[in-house]
Amino acid sequence: MSGRLFGVGVGPGDPELVTLKAARLIGAADVVAYHQGVGKQSNARRIAAGLLPDDVIEEALVYPVTTETTDHPGGYAGAMADFYAECGERLRAHLRAGRDVVVLAEGDPMLYGSFMYLHDRLADEFETQVVAGVPAFAAATATTALPLVRQTDVLTVLPGTLPEPELARRLADTDGAVIMKLGRTFAKVRSALEQAGRVEGSWYVERASMDAERVLPVADVDPETVPYFSIVLVPGDTRPGVARYDRSASEVTEPVAGAEVVVVGLGPGPDRWLSPEASQVLAEVGHVIGYGPYVQRVPQRPGLVRHASGNTVEVDRAREALELALAGERVAVVSGGDAGIFGMASAVFEAAEDPRYADVAVRVVPGISAVQAVAARAGAPIGADFAVMSLSDRLKPWDVVVKRLRAVAEADLVLALYNPRSRSRTEQVAQARATLLEHKSPETVVVVGRDVGRAGESLTVTTLGELDPGTIDMKCLLLVGASSTRVTAAGRVWSPRFVA
């Protein structure tokens, strides 16, 4: 009979934080395996030393490299892949011989742990069980007695090995954060915290729960002294503008003179399509609010708080912006393309109808719209009269959409169609095509622009009769020509300004 494999978390360092289940399994193991660096002792073994049976077989799994510098032909990834394959074979031999194998893991085995790579190789072949352990950040939080997250705060666990801009972005976008894998990465991590405006109130904990434990404000840490066994805690309370239960429910924000929300069109994608006015606004505000992918397009900088939300809560995010403006904050609400074309401008004005926001001004900064971008790529298809519609029926009945499609077709206008398809709306393109064909020739020119201005951009010129609705997705914008719309020999599309 084959042996069983156990991945056992032994906690962050204090042997008294080893769980009862972990202690029982370690004490009954035939084989105990643990990872360690070259010339170093295993911290996991040190924690569990008092629990090892006298006759246990020990397997020290020694990492071939501890940095990404190696002469292995496959680089660091190749060296580590070979290492885990060799470790797997060593443990497989014990398991096939009927021995139970316990692999010790610092903290929790499945949280940045080396055990998971052995699990990948062996779990399908042998009975396997994972035993949770106290993670380092839990011990660090207990040490500092910090309320890391509360209420509906979001906690983000980040590896310090992320690129600095990505770290800064994620730190600015979350409430509470834990940053692991420090050591040589600490200087970069502190820089990212500064860019996100999160240094103040953040704490550094070294060797949490161990005898050599050290706790300092992040701002006071010398990067040259930071070991691998260290962690940074960023409490949700450090995020600017957080509201807590200790704020009186009857407290009312008095309007601030000159309160303003600026609604900014970011354009379809490339930074070069962002207007100087939009860039200036984004450089001056303290808060940026919008749909997640649009907020991510605004570079993180010190003092900027970014509020990202989902795709169907436009009025809620508009109210959030208005509340911040009431409190004296400088706020920008961002939209892709032009904010006034199926964007956030209308939602902000809708929310601002509430008398509470009567003293908050709303300013709209234009952006290049998707219809302009697609038209420019195609040539000049909207050089004549044209209409713009959304095929989404989320905010209007589909029969209204059909009525308007027929009116545009009967008027022989060029038609730009936004939001042609989504995950839940899959039939509208085909229905719209059928409606338009009631009044338009199958030879009517159609331009399909997908991700124009971004990586993977494509532009297709076809006809209404040959348009395949199955090729259209949420990243597309359609331009349906008028009867006068033409295609040049070079494939450029244009609509004459005159009517014959």
Side-chain angles (χ1 to χ4, degrees), residues 136-175:
F137 68 80
T141 302
T143 293
T144 58
L146 282 173
L148 190 57
V149 284
R150 61 176 96 193
Q151 294 174 228
T152 56
D153 281 350
V154 173
L155 175 65
T156 302
V157 179
L158 299 165
T161 49
L162 282 176
E164 186 174 322
E166 181 69 2
L167 265 175
R169 180 184 73 78
R170 290 178 181 267
L171 286 166
D173 289 347
T174 192
D175 300 305

Side-chain angles (χ1 to χ4, degrees), residues 173-259:
D173 289 347
T174 192
D175 300 305
V178 170
I179 311 175
M180 305 176 72
K181 297 181 180 289
L182 297 182
R184 287 181 295 270
T185 70
F186 183 79
K188 175 185 69 175
V189 167
R190 186 163 68 185
S191 176
L193 284 163
E194 290 169 350
Q195 293 172 50
R198 305 298 295 273
V199 171
E200 186 175 354
S202 294
W203 287 83
Y204 165 86
V205 182
E206 179 180 310
R207 296 185 171 90
S209 82
M210 304 183 203
D211 292 339
E213 180 179 82
R214 190 167 67 121
V215 180
L216 289 170
V218 166
D220 296 344
V221 178
D222 178 359
E224 299 300 320
T225 67
V226 175
Y228 179 80
F229 291 110
S230 55
I231 201 165
V232 165
L233 302 177
V234 186
D237 290 347
T238 64
R239 188 172 188 183
V242 295
R244 298 298 179 205
Y245 288 139
D246 57 2
R247 180 178 179 180
S248 171
S250 61
E251 183 180 337
V252 177
T253 304
E254 291 296 327
V256 175

Side-chain angles (χ1 to χ4, degrees), residues 304-324:
L304 178 66
V305 181
R306 303 191 304 178
H307 307 258
S309 52
N311 195 28
T312 59
V313 290
E314 292 87 352
V315 176
D316 288 341
R317 74 169 69 107
R319 291 193 187 101
E320 181 182 9
L322 291 161
E323 287 291 337
L324 286 167

Side-chain angles (χ1 to χ4, degrees), residues 379-396:
I382 57 174
D385 296 339
F386 69 98
V388 179
M389 287 183 59
S390 168
L391 284 187
S392 172
D393 58 355
R394 186 169 68 86
L395 298 175
K396 59 182 181 290

Side-chain angles (χ1 to χ4, degrees), residues 62-79:
V62 183
Y63 295 112
V65 289
T66 54
T67 69
E68 295 195 5
T69 301
T70 176
D71 57 3
H72 190 284
Y76 176 79

